[in-house]
Amino acid sequence: TFKVDLPSELKSRGVHPMFHASLLRIHVPNDDRRFPGRTAAQVLKLDEPGDEWDVQEIESHSGAGKDAIFKVVWRAGDHS
């Protein structure tokens, strides 16, 4: 078990700082050639619930209201 020094944003969200060794990996920085357009603000600003992400296109959707599901193409190139 390892104790990790977490940023205050994660501590305020209740993330526990102790992790089993099997859950930890060596950090590999982002390769902008493989993942272009990723900004630190998209990944790191956890304390602001109003963060916006750039959507390139909504490909499809199904359902309605709380059960709606959307297929989104993000400007960063990901699909979800």
Side-chain angles (χ1 to χ4, degrees):
T1 303
F2 290 88
K3 184 173 183 178
V4 179
D5 186 23
L6 297 174
S8 59
E9 297 88 18
L10 293 178
K11 290 178 186 177
S12 68
R13 289 177 169 247
V15 176
H16 196 274
M18 301 295 281
F19 295 90
H20 189 272
S22 66
L23 298 174
L24 301 177
R25 302 287 183 265
I26 295 173
H27 171 70
V28 178
N30 181 39
D31 181 357
D32 199 42
R33 292 172 294 167
R34 293 180 66 198
F35 304 105
R38 302 274 172 102
T39 63
Q42 289 177 317
V43 180
L44 300 177
K45 288 191 177 182
L46 299 173
D47 59 340
E48 297 178 16
D51 281 352
E52 296 180 3
W53 292 55
D54 289 331
V55 174
Q56 180 175 331
E57 176 184 5
I58 297 176
E59 287 189 343
S60 64
H61 73 281
S62 63
K66 291 182 179 181
D67 297 322
I69 298 174
F70 295 89
K71 184 173 182 181
V72 177
V73 179
W74 303 97
R75 289 216 189 272
D78 293 339
H79 296 270
S80 61

